[in-house]
Amino acid sequence: MAMAALALYLVFIAAGLGWKSYHQWRATGSTGFRGFHGSPGSREWLAGIGFIAAIAVTLLAPVLQLTGLVSPLAALDNRPVHIAGIALAVTGIVATIGAQQTMGESWRVGVDTRETTTLVSTGVFGWVRNPIFTAMLTFAAGAALMTPNPLAFSGFALLATSIELQVRAVEEPYLLAAHGATYREYGTRVGRFLPGIGRFNARG
């Protein structure tokens, strides 16, 4: 199962990052990668470093399980859990690609405060404000269940924390500055990662 998890990781990276960045480049002349910014120790910097570290850890988890250097938790190392993991991981890949397609030319990895992209609030973005991150977490949760070792769960926790910090400390302030009342009104109606959860306070 660790080999299957590793294969799905490679599919996710190739489809969710490689293919999308190539398609973006063909359509706009830019890959969409803006990187992570902020001075060392800042929230922006911590979000970026945490995100990169989480990807490395979650990718390393199945590799180390294959080599026998880490072992799965016995209570979770069974067929029903593995099947649930596969279902979540595949759903996460499909949902990531679908949300990226909906975002179109506004898709970015990271934020460049010098540019203003079109605010996408239709399709799946009418249900949650950050469906790509939701899909990524769905994939990561599934992959962790496929190789249910402590390193995989630690990587998932780090990824969730980094995404939360990236959205709250970097992306939402940027979108509020770029789109003002339009984004705030959108945020009062639509949840952050799940429908109805994490909406802005209408009064402020």
Side-chain angles (χ1 to χ4, degrees):
M1 190 53 61
M3 183 63 75
L6 186 58
L8 285 177
Y9 267 113
L10 296 178
V11 170
F12 178 81
I13 292 171
L17 294 177
W19 179 86
K20 176 56 181 175
S21 62
Y22 172 73
H23 183 75
Q24 188 84 353
W25 173 73
R26 288 291 302 271
T28 68
S30 168
T31 62
F33 280 82
R34 297 296 181 265
F36 300 101
H37 306 284
S39 57
S42 67
R43 292 187 299 173
E44 295 87 346
W45 183 85
L46 289 172
I49 292 298
F51 186 85
I52 294 169
I55 296 299
V57 169
T58 53
L59 187 57
L60 193 60
V63 174
L64 294 185
Q65 185 167 311
L66 277 171
T67 61
L69 293 177
V70 297
S71 299
L73 301 172
L76 297 175
D77 191 25
N78 56 68
R79 187 174 179 81
V81 170
H82 294 163
I83 292 174
I86 293 172
L88 284 172
V90 171
T91 298
I93 292 173
V94 173
T96 298
I97 295 171
Q100 288 175 335
Q101 289 295 99
T102 301
M103 200 168 190
E105 294 183 2
S106 292
W107 179 77
R108 296 289 186 275
V109 175
V111 167
D112 184 347
T113 57
R114 297 168 299 180
E115 64 178 353
T116 300
T117 57
T118 301
L119 178 64
V120 179
S121 58
T122 58
V124 69
F125 287 86
W127 291 87
V128 291
R129 301 198 305 275
N130 301 281
I132 296 175
F133 282 142
T134 300
M136 289 180 64
L137 290 170
T138 300
F139 168 79
L145 292 178
M146 291 174 70
T147 55
N149 61 63
L151 188 62
F153 291 121
S154 297
F156 174 79
L158 180 57
L159 180 64
T161 300
S162 300
I163 286 176
E164 181 80 18
L165 188 58
Q166 171 72 13
V167 168
R168 288 178 178 268
V170 180
E171 299 195 2
E172 288 182 350
Y174 160 74
L175 289 168
L176 284 167
H179 297 285
T182 301
Y183 183 71
R184 178 162 292 282
E185 189 277 332
Y186 171 54
T188 63
R189 294 184 290 104
V190 179
R192 183 175 284 115
F193 299 112
L194 296 171
I197 299 175
R199 292 180 296 183
F200 292 153
N201 187 325
R203 293 174 295 179

